[in-house]
Every structure is written in C-alpha cells, then in structure tokens.
Amino acid sequence: MTKKTVFPGDEVAVAEEYMPAEGTYEYDGKILASLAGDLDLDQEEKVAKVTPKNPLVVLRNGDSVFCRITDVRASMAICEIFAAEGKDRDITGDTSATIHISKLSSDYVQDVGREFRPGDLIRAKVIQTKPSVQLSTQEPHFGVVKASCRKCRAPLSVHGKALKCEPCERVENRKVADDYGDINF
Ligand SMILES: [Zn+2]
C-alpha cells in the first residue's frame, strides 16, 4: 500500500487498474480524488481511496457541536462546525454539515428558514459522520444559542419560544436551545 497526499481533482489511478471508493470517483477512464487527504492504493482489493486529513474524523455520533448556519434550503440547513462542546479537540478544515428538515425539531417544521437563519450560532448533535456530517437539533438542548436581528444585527433576546430585537421591537421565530443566550464564544 502506498500513501501520498492528494487534492480534489488529482488523478490518482487509472480505472483499468483500480475501482473508485471512498474519497474518489471515476471520470473518463481515470480515478480522481474527490477530497484532500491520504491516498490509499489497495493493491489486493484494487480500490483507490482517499482518507480525509481534516480532523472531522474525530467527530463521533452523539457529540455535541457548535456551528454557524451558512445557508438555508427548502429541505435542510447547511452549517460550518467550529467547535466540539466539552472536548479538547480542535476542529478545522472542511467542517461543513447539514441538518435535514426532519431532524430539526421534535415539532413539525414547514419552513427551515423560519427556524434557522444564516449567521445563527447553534448547538447540534452529530447523528452521522460518513460520508457526510449530519446533525440533529430535535432535543430541547439543541438549536439556536445566539442570533442577531435580521434588520439591525443587534443580538436577539429570548422571550418564551420567540426571539426579540429590543431596538427594533421585532420578533423573530427560531428553534432555540433551552439555554439560549447563556453561552459566550
Ligand atoms: Zn433589530
């Protein structure tokens, strides 16, 4: 087995000799890397795979992580993980994760954009690490821990299940965590 560092799009083998596996794909007779990491050319199994270098591999199901919402789509929210709660593990590199609409709340969610907004900081639970990181915010302790007003960017304060901007006197809906506002980053 040979090991070397490869980057997305790098040609790592030819399709005649190796099968694509985790971290690789076949294109035009070639096996290309789909992510950055260590290349494993398994001579026996004849598979080419790339193991990501980023420390996301240290994440485990059940871990609690803090993330920033980066995008909201019809069926999911996309976020960047920036810390694992209560653990001395650095999380760097590609830390993108998704929260499916069905895993967002224990209540029925019709519109992801009513629960999370880009820029919100949330606490979420890791429910899947491979091939992509999937998170859940269903339980009361998970959800938005810090958010700012869409209009004036002032921090929102929690009032029951809603968030309020004092300067604008606007109320915004969110799936909030039970300790919203108590966390300092
Ligand atoms: Zn405001």
mmCIF file with all atom_site columns, all heavy atoms in Angstrom, residues 149-154 156 165-170 172, ligand 1:
data_model
loop_
_atom_site.group_PDB
_atom_site.id
_atom_site.type_symbol
_atom_site.label_atom_id
_atom_site.label_alt_id
_atom_site.label_comp_id
_atom_site.label_asym_id
_atom_site.label_entity_id
_atom_site.label_seq_id
_atom_site.pdbx_PDB_ins_code
_atom_site.Cartn_x
_atom_site.Cartn_y
_atom_site.Cartn_z
_atom_site.occupancy
_atom_site.B_iso_or_equiv
_atom_site.pdbx_formal_charge
_atom_site.auth_seq_id
_atom_site.auth_comp_id
_atom_site.auth_asym_id
_atom_site.auth_atom_id
_atom_site.pdbx_PDB_model_num
ATOM   1   N  N   . CYS A 1 149 ? -30.525 40.206 14.976 1.00 0.00 ? 149 CYS A N   1
ATOM   2   C  CA  . CYS A 1 149 ? -31.673 40.749 14.247 1.00 0.00 ? 149 CYS A CA  1
ATOM   3   C  C   . CYS A 1 149 ? -31.365 40.848 12.756 1.00 0.00 ? 149 CYS A C   1
ATOM   4   O  O   . CYS A 1 149 ? -30.303 41.308 12.360 1.00 0.00 ? 149 CYS A O   1
ATOM   5   C  CB  . CYS A 1 149 ? -31.999 42.124 14.820 1.00 0.00 ? 149 CYS A CB  1
ATOM   6   S  SG  . CYS A 1 149 ? -33.254 43.017 13.897 1.00 0.00 ? 149 CYS A SG  1
ATOM   7   N  N   . ARG A 1 150 ? -32.314 40.418 11.951 1.00 0.00 ? 150 ARG A N   1
ATOM   8   C  CA  . ARG A 1 150 ? -32.143 40.438 10.506 1.00 0.00 ? 150 ARG A CA  1
ATOM   9   C  C   . ARG A 1 150 ? -31.987 41.880 9.985  1.00 0.00 ? 150 ARG A C   1
ATOM   10  O  O   . ARG A 1 150 ? -31.355 42.129 8.994  1.00 0.00 ? 150 ARG A O   1
ATOM   11  C  CB  . ARG A 1 150 ? -33.364 39.795 9.860  1.00 0.00 ? 150 ARG A CB  1
ATOM   12  C  CG  . ARG A 1 150 ? -33.009 38.928 8.678  1.00 0.00 ? 150 ARG A CG  1
ATOM   13  C  CD  . ARG A 1 150 ? -34.225 38.464 7.937  1.00 0.00 ? 150 ARG A CD  1
ATOM   14  N  NE  . ARG A 1 150 ? -35.088 37.576 8.737  1.00 0.00 ? 150 ARG A NE  1
ATOM   15  C  CZ  . ARG A 1 150 ? -36.145 36.959 8.222  1.00 0.00 ? 150 ARG A CZ  1
ATOM   16  N  NH1 . ARG A 1 150 ? -36.458 37.127 6.960  1.00 0.00 ? 150 ARG A NH1 1
ATOM   17  N  NH2 . ARG A 1 150 ? -36.889 36.181 8.969  1.00 0.00 ? 150 ARG A NH2 1
ATOM   18  N  N   . LYS A 1 151 ? -32.608 42.800 10.686 1.00 0.00 ? 151 LYS A N   1
ATOM   19  C  CA  . LYS A 1 151 ? -32.620 44.192 10.238 1.00 0.00 ? 151 LYS A CA  1
ATOM   20  C  C   . LYS A 1 151 ? -31.413 44.992 10.737 1.00 0.00 ? 151 LYS A C   1
ATOM   21  O  O   . LYS A 1 151 ? -30.697 45.591 9.951  1.00 0.00 ? 151 LYS A O   1
ATOM   22  C  CB  . LYS A 1 151 ? -33.895 44.871 10.750 1.00 0.00 ? 151 LYS A CB  1
ATOM   23  C  CG  . LYS A 1 151 ? -34.839 45.301 9.648  1.00 0.00 ? 151 LYS A CG  1
ATOM   24  C  CD  . LYS A 1 151 ? -36.051 45.952 10.287 1.00 0.00 ? 151 LYS A CD  1
ATOM   25  C  CE  . LYS A 1 151 ? -36.709 46.953 9.348  1.00 0.00 ? 151 LYS A CE  1
ATOM   26  N  NZ  . LYS A 1 151 ? -37.932 47.476 9.986  1.00 0.00 ? 151 LYS A NZ  1
ATOM   27  N  N   . CYS A 1 152 ? -31.208 44.991 12.075 1.00 0.00 ? 152 CYS A N   1
ATOM   28  C  CA  . CYS A 1 152 ? -30.182 45.870 12.634 1.00 0.00 ? 152 CYS A CA  1
ATOM   29  C  C   . CYS A 1 152 ? -28.968 45.115 13.167 1.00 0.00 ? 152 CYS A C   1
ATOM   30  O  O   . CYS A 1 152 ? -28.015 45.739 13.612 1.00 0.00 ? 152 CYS A O   1
ATOM   31  C  CB  . CYS A 1 152 ? -30.772 46.752 13.723 1.00 0.00 ? 152 CYS A CB  1
ATOM   32  S  SG  . CYS A 1 152 ? -31.069 45.876 15.276 1.00 0.00 ? 152 CYS A SG  1
ATOM   33  N  N   . ARG A 1 153 ? -28.966 43.795 13.140 1.00 0.00 ? 153 ARG A N   1
ATOM   34  C  CA  . ARG A 1 153 ? -27.873 42.946 13.587 1.00 0.00 ? 153 ARG A CA  1
ATOM   35  C  C   . ARG A 1 153 ? -27.652 42.960 15.094 1.00 0.00 ? 153 ARG A C   1
ATOM   36  O  O   . ARG A 1 153 ? -26.674 42.400 15.587 1.00 0.00 ? 153 ARG A O   1
ATOM   37  C  CB  . ARG A 1 153 ? -26.531 43.293 12.884 1.00 0.00 ? 153 ARG A CB  1
ATOM   38  C  CG  . ARG A 1 153 ? -26.584 43.363 11.363 1.00 0.00 ? 153 ARG A CG  1
ATOM   39  C  CD  . ARG A 1 153 ? -27.192 42.167 10.706 1.00 0.00 ? 153 ARG A CD  1
ATOM   40  N  NE  . ARG A 1 153 ? -26.452 40.925 10.943 1.00 0.00 ? 153 ARG A NE  1
ATOM   41  C  CZ  . ARG A 1 153 ? -26.962 39.719 10.725 1.00 0.00 ? 153 ARG A CZ  1
ATOM   42  N  NH1 . ARG A 1 153 ? -28.198 39.576 10.292 1.00 0.00 ? 153 ARG A NH1 1
ATOM   43  N  NH2 . ARG A 1 153 ? -26.234 38.651 10.956 1.00 0.00 ? 153 ARG A NH2 1
ATOM   44  N  N   . ALA A 1 154 ? -28.530 43.591 15.855 1.00 0.00 ? 154 ALA A N   1
ATOM   45  C  CA  . ALA A 1 154 ? -28.404 43.560 17.321 1.00 0.00 ? 154 ALA A CA  1
ATOM   46  C  C   . ALA A 1 154 ? -28.694 42.144 17.803 1.00 0.00 ? 154 ALA A C   1
ATOM   47  O  O   . ALA A 1 154 ? -29.477 41.425 17.180 1.00 0.00 ? 154 ALA A O   1
ATOM   48  C  CB  . ALA A 1 154 ? -29.391 44.539 17.945 1.00 0.00 ? 154 ALA A CB  1
ATOM   49  N  N   . LEU A 1 156 ? -30.407 39.146 19.534 1.00 0.00 ? 156 LEU A N   1
ATOM   50  C  CA  . LEU A 1 156 ? -31.806 38.930 19.905 1.00 0.00 ? 156 LEU A CA  1
ATOM   51  C  C   . LEU A 1 156 ? -31.874 38.330 21.305 1.00 0.00 ? 156 LEU A C   1
ATOM   52  O  O   . LEU A 1 156 ? -31.031 37.508 21.675 1.00 0.00 ? 156 LEU A O   1
ATOM   53  C  CB  . LEU A 1 156 ? -32.464 37.978 18.902 1.00 0.00 ? 156 LEU A CB  1
ATOM   54  C  CG  . LEU A 1 156 ? -32.528 38.463 17.448 1.00 0.00 ? 156 LEU A CG  1
ATOM   55  C  CD1 . LEU A 1 156 ? -32.977 37.323 16.539 1.00 0.00 ? 156 LEU A CD1 1
ATOM   56  C  CD2 . LEU A 1 156 ? -33.469 39.647 17.307 1.00 0.00 ? 156 LEU A CD2 1
ATOM   57  N  N   . CYS A 1 165 ? -35.867 41.555 19.103 1.00 0.00 ? 165 CYS A N   1
ATOM   58  C  CA  . CYS A 1 165 ? -34.878 42.610 18.967 1.00 0.00 ? 165 CYS A CA  1
ATOM   59  C  C   . CYS A 1 165 ? -35.429 43.821 19.715 1.00 0.00 ? 165 CYS A C   1
ATOM   60  O  O   . CYS A 1 165 ? -36.461 44.371 19.326 1.00 0.00 ? 165 CYS A O   1
ATOM   61  C  CB  . CYS A 1 165 ? -34.634 42.959 17.504 1.00 0.00 ? 165 CYS A CB  1
ATOM   62  S  SG  . CYS A 1 165 ? -33.553 44.391 17.332 1.00 0.00 ? 165 CYS A SG  1
ATOM   63  N  N   . GLU A 1 166 ? -34.742 44.190 20.787 1.00 0.00 ? 166 GLU A N   1
ATOM   64  C  CA  . GLU A 1 166 ? -35.228 45.311 21.602 1.00 0.00 ? 166 GLU A CA  1
ATOM   65  C  C   . GLU A 1 166 ? -35.242 46.622 20.807 1.00 0.00 ? 166 GLU A C   1
ATOM   66  O  O   . GLU A 1 166 ? -36.267 47.305 20.773 1.00 0.00 ? 166 GLU A O   1
ATOM   67  C  CB  . GLU A 1 166 ? -34.388 45.455 22.880 1.00 0.00 ? 166 GLU A CB  1
ATOM   68  C  CG  . GLU A 1 166 ? -34.338 44.199 23.757 1.00 0.00 ? 166 GLU A CG  1
ATOM   69  C  CD  . GLU A 1 166 ? -35.646 43.866 24.476 1.00 0.00 ? 166 GLU A CD  1
ATOM   70  O  OE1 . GLU A 1 166 ? -36.591 44.684 24.427 1.00 0.00 ? 166 GLU A OE1 1
ATOM   71  O  OE2 . GLU A 1 166 ? -35.731 42.768 25.064 1.00 0.00 ? 166 GLU A OE2 1
ATOM   72  N  N   . PRO A 1 167 ? -34.119 46.994 20.132 1.00 0.00 ? 167 PRO A N   1
ATOM   73  C  CA  . PRO A 1 167 ? -34.132 48.268 19.400 1.00 0.00 ? 167 PRO A CA  1
ATOM   74  C  C   . PRO A 1 167 ? -35.234 48.370 18.340 1.00 0.00 ? 167 PRO A C   1
ATOM   75  O  O   . PRO A 1 167 ? -35.868 49.412 18.209 1.00 0.00 ? 167 PRO A O   1
ATOM   76  C  CB  . PRO A 1 167 ? -32.751 48.332 18.742 1.00 0.00 ? 167 PRO A CB  1
ATOM   77  C  CG  . PRO A 1 167 ? -31.892 47.404 19.523 1.00 0.00 ? 167 PRO A CG  1
ATOM   78  C  CD  . PRO A 1 167 ? -32.802 46.331 20.036 1.00 0.00 ? 167 PRO A CD  1
ATOM   79  N  N   . CYS A 1 168 ? -35.466 47.299 17.591 1.00 0.00 ? 168 CYS A N   1
ATOM   80  C  CA  . CYS A 1 168 ? -36.462 47.346 16.512 1.00 0.00 ? 168 CYS A CA  1
ATOM   81  C  C   . CYS A 1 168 ? -37.852 46.945 16.988 1.00 0.00 ? 168 CYS A C   1
ATOM   82  O  O   . CYS A 1 168 ? -38.823 47.107 16.253 1.00 0.00 ? 168 CYS A O   1
ATOM   83  C  CB  . CYS A 1 168 ? -36.118 46.368 15.389 1.00 0.00 ? 168 CYS A CB  1
ATOM   84  S  SG  . CYS A 1 168 ? -34.541 46.612 14.621 1.00 0.00 ? 168 CYS A SG  1
ATOM   85  N  N   . GLU A 1 169 ? -37.920 46.355 18.162 1.00 0.00 ? 169 GLU A N   1
ATOM   86  C  CA  . GLU A 1 169 ? -39.166 45.774 18.675 1.00 0.00 ? 169 GLU A CA  1
ATOM   87  C  C   . GLU A 1 169 ? -39.743 44.748 17.702 1.00 0.00 ? 169 GLU A C   1
ATOM   88  O  O   . GLU A 1 169 ? -40.949 44.617 17.559 1.00 0.00 ? 169 GLU A O   1
ATOM   89  C  CB  . GLU A 1 169 ? -40.191 46.880 18.994 1.00 0.00 ? 169 GLU A CB  1
ATOM   90  C  CG  . GLU A 1 169 ? -39.719 47.789 20.109 1.00 0.00 ? 169 GLU A CG  1
ATOM   91  C  CD  . GLU A 1 169 ? -40.803 48.706 20.628 1.00 0.00 ? 169 GLU A CD  1
ATOM   92  O  OE1 . GLU A 1 169 ? -41.716 49.033 19.843 1.00 0.00 ? 169 GLU A OE1 1
ATOM   93  O  OE2 . GLU A 1 169 ? -40.734 49.095 21.800 1.00 0.00 ? 169 GLU A OE2 1
ATOM   94  N  N   . ARG A 1 170 ? -38.842 44.031 17.046 1.00 0.00 ? 170 ARG A N   1
ATOM   95  C  CA  . ARG A 1 170 ? -39.275 42.976 16.126 1.00 0.00 ? 170 ARG A CA  1
ATOM   96  C  C   . ARG A 1 170 ? -39.161 41.635 16.832 1.00 0.00 ? 170 ARG A C   1
ATOM   97  O  O   . ARG A 1 170 ? -38.276 41.434 17.659 1.00 0.00 ? 170 ARG A O   1
ATOM   98  C  CB  . ARG A 1 170 ? -38.372 42.940 14.886 1.00 0.00 ? 170 ARG A CB  1
ATOM   99  C  CG  . ARG A 1 170 ? -38.549 44.097 13.940 1.00 0.00 ? 170 ARG A CG  1
ATOM   100 C  CD  . ARG A 1 170 ? -37.553 44.016 12.794 1.00 0.00 ? 170 ARG A CD  1
ATOM   101 N  NE  . ARG A 1 170 ? -37.836 42.926 11.863 1.00 0.00 ? 170 ARG A NE  1
ATOM   102 C  CZ  . ARG A 1 170 ? -37.067 41.870 11.707 1.00 0.00 ? 170 ARG A CZ  1
ATOM   103 N  NH1 . ARG A 1 170 ? -35.972 41.735 12.406 1.00 0.00 ? 170 ARG A NH1 1
ATOM   104 N  NH2 . ARG A 1 170 ? -37.389 40.954 10.831 1.00 0.00 ? 170 ARG A NH2 1
ATOM   105 N  N   . GLU A 1 172 ? -38.658 37.541 16.085 1.00 0.00 ? 172 GLU A N   1
ATOM   106 C  CA  . GLU A 1 172 ? -38.299 36.546 15.073 1.00 0.00 ? 172 GLU A CA  1
ATOM   107 C  C   . GLU A 1 172 ? -38.471 35.156 15.661 1.00 0.00 ? 172 GLU A C   1
ATOM   108 O  O   . GLU A 1 172 ? -38.206 34.942 16.835 1.00 0.00 ? 172 GLU A O   1
ATOM   109 C  CB  . GLU A 1 172 ? -36.835 36.733 14.625 1.00 0.00 ? 172 GLU A CB  1
ATOM   110 C  CG  . GLU A 1 172 ? -36.606 38.056 13.909 1.00 0.00 ? 172 GLU A CG  1
ATOM   111 C  CD  . GLU A 1 172 ? -35.229 38.125 13.245 1.00 0.00 ? 172 GLU A CD  1
ATOM   112 O  OE1 . GLU A 1 172 ? -34.589 37.079 13.084 1.00 0.00 ? 172 GLU A OE1 1
ATOM   113 O  OE2 . GLU A 1 172 ? -34.827 39.252 12.904 1.00 0.00 ? 172 GLU A OE2 1
HETATM 114 ZN ZN  . ZN  B 2 .   ? -33.179 44.935 15.223 1.00 0.00 ? 1   ZN  B ZN  1
#
